[in-house]
Amino acid sequence: MNLHRTRIAVACGFAVALVAATASCTFAPRANEAQAQAATAPARPAPLRIVQLSFGQNAYFAACAEPACPTLTPKTLPGPAALPVAATATDPSSHGVAAAAAAEPSPLVPPRAAAAQASTQRADPSDTHILLTFPFGSAALTAESRQTLRRSLRLARESDRIVISGRTDSVGPDEVNQQLALARALAVRNFIRDAVPDLPNVIAIDAKGRCCFVASNDDESGRSRNRRVEVVFTSMGVM
């Protein structure tokens, strides 16, 4: 009985050893084959990534694969944003900025545009008055009055309106003084028109006899001041 069992055990052991040997012979070539395939298989390319090449105005972007990509350094890593520092009087760079601003040329303005700007910046309407006196009962211009009018011709050319007001003293009837006041105003108007033939129609006549006295008519000194023509040259401002 024991012998029989011993034979069965030996047979089973022999069978197990035979199976193990067969398995080792079968799987070893497969492992070697897998290693050979892995060695002969082409390597997979490294993934590409977009990187910045160069900096400043010459910066551009390109695709690269490791290990050919540039290495990030502390200089290329973005740092905290710097806060603007106001330039002070002791900062040398502030003088350079001020000098650069002062040296920057101003835009050129065409002459016509500059003239238009100047014309639009004229002051408010301004009046210039001149006073001409006349002998008693006369509308003739004196030499002094003619000289005064000649000096005023430039004003006449530049004026937008000229008002000539003829006046008399209180001596004589109203009708005579009215005619005399008008004759004095027309004498001044004709002198200006003869001296400036191309003058536009800017003259207005205001003739009033026995009116608008500037002095007392009780004596000759006052009456001589009332025998007059007032000329007002008005230059209108441009809006």
Side-chain angles (χ1 to χ4, degrees):
M1 184 66 180
N2 292 332
L3 180 60
H4 180 69
R5 289 181 178 178
T6 302
R7 289 179 178 178
I8 293 176
V10 172
C12 291
F14 180 77
V16 171
L18 181 60
V19 171
T22 304
S24 61
C25 293
T26 304
F27 291 112
R30 293 186 178 179
N32 295 333
E33 182 180 357
Q35 293 178 358
Q37 290 179 356
T40 58
R44 296 181 59 185
L48 299 178
R49 62 189 181 94
I50 303 298
V51 296
Q52 178 180 341
L53 302 178
S54 187
F55 299 93
Q57 296 181 350
N58 298 324
Y60 65 95
F61 295 85
C64 69
E66 296 295 349
C69 295
T71 303
L72 295 179
T73 65
K75 292 184 178 179
T76 58
L77 292 176
L83 297 177
V85 179
T88 61
T90 58
D91 186 3
S93 62
S94 63
H95 298 287
V97 174
E104 183 178 357
S106 58
L108 296 178
V109 180
R112 292 187 178 181
Q117 293 177 0
S119 63
T120 57
Q121 297 175 357
R122 288 173 56 185
D124 293 336
S126 60
D127 296 340
T128 303
H129 299 249
I130 65 172
L131 181 66
L132 310 173
T133 57
F134 290 80
F136 176 76
S138 172
L141 293 172
T142 64
E144 182 180 0
S145 295
R146 291 176 180 275
Q147 185 64 24
T148 301
L149 287 173
R150 290 190 185 96
R151 291 195 297 266
S152 304
L153 294 179
R154 181 183 61 83
L155 288 173
R157 293 186 179 93
E158 298 176 354
S159 297
D160 299 291
R161 181 176 174 83
I162 303 174
V163 179
I164 302 175
S165 301
R167 302 291 186 256
T168 66
D169 56 22
S170 61
V171 179
D174 292 345
E175 183 177 356
V176 173
N177 280 288
Q178 180 62 29
Q179 294 177 356
L180 186 58
L182 178 60
R184 288 170 176 170
L186 292 177
V188 174
R189 183 203 65 179
N190 294 340
F191 182 92
I192 295 175
R193 281 188 172 177
D194 292 342
V196 188
D198 57 344
L199 186 69
N201 187 20
V202 296
I203 297 178
I205 299 297
D206 175 30
K208 294 180 181 179
R210 293 177 61 93
C211 170
C212 315
F213 304 122
V214 295
S216 173
N217 288 292
D218 295 339
D219 54 33
E220 178 58 23
S221 175
R223 290 192 294 270
S224 64
R225 294 176 57 192
N226 290 328
R227 298 189 295 264
R228 70 194 190 280
V229 166
E230 298 177 1
V231 184
V232 180
F233 300 93
T234 301
S235 177
M236 303 298 294
V238 177
M239 299 302 294

